[in-house]
Amino acid sequence: ARAAGRDLEVRFTHALELMRARKLDAAAIAVEGMLAIFPYHAGALCLRGNLLCAQGRFDQALRDFQRAAREDPADAAHWIGAARALERLERPQEAIACYERALQAAPALPDIAARLADLTKRNVKSSATTNSSSVRNARSPPASIRRYGRFAR
């Protein structure tokens, strides 16, 4: 069992090095080989999620990041990956929740806090714009009613 674990870590390190060297096809092959042996390896799932994001396949990447986070919830990288995929999928509320989980896992990382603050600020602004126009539209009577003075202001 110990030798298998060592072999798995050697394979993971190799896949990571391939990714860092921008040899994405070779990295993808290495990651798939790892996941065929051990389908719940959080690092390999996260690495495949990053490869899928690089291809613009954000739905599939999100699934891998979520699986990685279930396997190893204490690793902020999985939550950050999920948050970034959710941002690309235009699901800001879920992205905010993932950034919050990442911040819990790694409170010393200033990038997470800054990204969370930025996304929250943008999301609050867009919600306020949507809500104020909804309220404005809800209060305004139709033009035909305004014309006849039933709602004189």
Side-chain angles (χ1 to χ4, degrees):
R2 191 176 271 179
R6 220 175 293 126
D7 179 53
L8 207 53
E9 288 311 308
V10 168
R11 287 174 182 253
F12 178 69
T13 301
H14 176 66
L16 198 55
E17 288 170 357
L18 289 168
M19 177 121 173
R20 288 182 181 145
R22 304 259 188 247
K23 297 178 180 178
L24 302 184
D25 291 338
I29 292 168
V31 167
E32 292 302 327
M34 278 190 65
L35 290 172
I37 296 167
F38 191 65
Y40 300 104
H41 189 281
L45 288 165
C46 191
L47 190 54
R48 185 169 68 182
N50 284 312
L51 289 165
L52 291 166
C53 278
Q55 297 170 356
R57 297 164 57 191
F58 303 109
D59 280 321
Q60 292 168 303
L62 177 59
R63 283 193 291 277
D64 278 347
F65 290 129
Q66 289 171 330
R67 284 179 57 204
R70 275 194 303 276
E71 293 302 315
D72 185 9
D75 191 336
H78 312 318
W79 296 108
I80 293 169
R84 289 184 176 153
L86 286 161
E87 280 190 77
R88 296 303 295 261
L89 293 167
E90 298 181 5
R91 293 163 54 184
Q93 292 296 74
E94 293 169 85
I96 288 169
C98 286
Y99 280 124
E100 287 171 344
R101 290 292 303 264
L103 196 56
Q104 289 172 357
L109 291 177
D111 292 349
I112 300 170
R115 187 72 199 126
L116 177 60
D118 181 56
L119 185 59
T120 302
K121 184 178 172 181
R122 281 190 293 132
N123 195 51
V124 166
K125 280 184 180 177
S126 69
S127 294
T129 304
T130 304
N131 289 340
S132 67
S133 65
S134 298
V135 168
R136 192 170 42 252
N137 290 338
R139 289 184 189 161
S140 290
S144 60
I145 293 174
R146 282 195 311 261
R147 240 183 266 132
Y148 298 110
R150 288 183 60 194
F151 290 93
R153 293 182 189 218

